[in-house]
């Protein structure tokens, strides 16, 4: 959002049918992802990469409410440089990065293999949907200049 103070448009008001569909999809994706820790980590990481201050702020607060330790939340941006994350966390964060940075390359086979080593096929599919959804939310929030 790069310091913008004025909201450009209110997509919840101007396209309520799209917003309602996004909320319904978000609910379905949440129900498919039983590991809320991974969902929090990947939503925060994708939002950091995309530069969505609104979403980073919101998802950090949600993660704190769900009991994720502050130290862990402070280290998400540098997850590769610390041993604070489990193998599952690391696989999920790498998968979030590769799916969020599609412009950099194809979807990394190594990141998929790492995710598949830690997660079932259903878990990979559900995590992929969650990451895709946060990228959609990020793009809506950034383009609208949602305030933090």
């Amino acid at each position: 959002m790069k310091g913008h103070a004025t909201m450009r448009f209110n997509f919840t008001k101007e396209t309520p049918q799209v917003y309602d569909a996004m909320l319904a999809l978000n609910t379905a994706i949440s129900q498919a992802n039983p590991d809320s820790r991974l969902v929090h980590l990947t939503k925060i990481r994708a939002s950091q990469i995309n530069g969505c201050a609104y979403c980073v702020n919101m998802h950090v607060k949600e993660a704190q409410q769900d009991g994720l330790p502050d130290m862990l939340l402070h280290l998400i941006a540098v997850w590769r440089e610390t041993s604070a994350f489990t193998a599952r966390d690391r696989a999920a964060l790498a998968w979030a990065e590769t799916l969020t940075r599609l412009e950099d390359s194809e979807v990394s086979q190594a990141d998929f293999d790492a995710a598949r080593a830690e997660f079932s096929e259903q878990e990979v599919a559900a995590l992929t949907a969650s990451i895709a959804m946060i990228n959609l939310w990020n793009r809506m929030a950034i383009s609208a200049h949602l305030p933090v």
Side-chain angles (χ1 to χ4, degrees):
M1 305 227 307
K2 313 251 189 290
H4 299 286
T6 307
M7 199 162 109
R8 288 179 173 160
F9 59 90
N10 183 338
F11 68 91
T12 63
K13 177 181 162 195
E14 301 304 327
T15 55
Q17 68 282 21
V18 172
Y19 181 69
D20 290 345
M22 287 173 65
L23 287 177
L25 182 56
N26 209 57
T27 298
I29 290 169
S30 293
Q31 291 169 352
N33 282 288
D35 193 337
S36 64
R37 173 189 171 102
L38 297 179
V39 171
H40 288 306
L41 294 177
T42 56
K43 283 182 177 183
I44 293 166
R45 185 64 189 128
S47 298
Q48 289 171 336
I49 292 167
N50 289 326
C52 186
Y54 179 87
C55 293
V56 169
N57 185 54
M58 178 176 63
H59 293 297
V60 165
K61 287 178 183 176
E62 288 175 353
Q64 288 171 322
Q65 289 170 352
D66 279 355
L68 268 72
D70 285 343
M71 183 203 68
L72 201 66
L73 299 175
H74 292 301
L75 295 173
I76 292 172
V78 293
W79 66 270
R80 293 179 193 272
E81 309 303 321
T82 177
S83 62
F85 296 93
T86 68
R88 285 176 62 86
D89 294 342
R90 298 173 79 72
L93 288 164
W95 192 235
E97 287 185 0
T98 201
L99 294 178
T100 300
R101 293 183 170 139
L102 288 176
E103 74 280 359
D104 292 344
S105 66
E106 296 179 12
V107 174
S108 163
Q109 185 65 42
D111 289 340
F112 173 76
D113 291 343
R116 195 60 183 89
E118 293 295 329
F119 307 112
S120 70
E121 192 170 331
Q122 186 279 332
E123 289 172 318
V124 171
L127 191 59
T128 300
S130 179
I131 294 163
M133 192 69 206
I134 191 57
N135 275 283
L136 174 57
W137 284 113
N138 289 166
R139 281 148 179 78
M140 294 299 287
I142 291 167
S143 62
H145 284 178
L146 292 185
V148 177

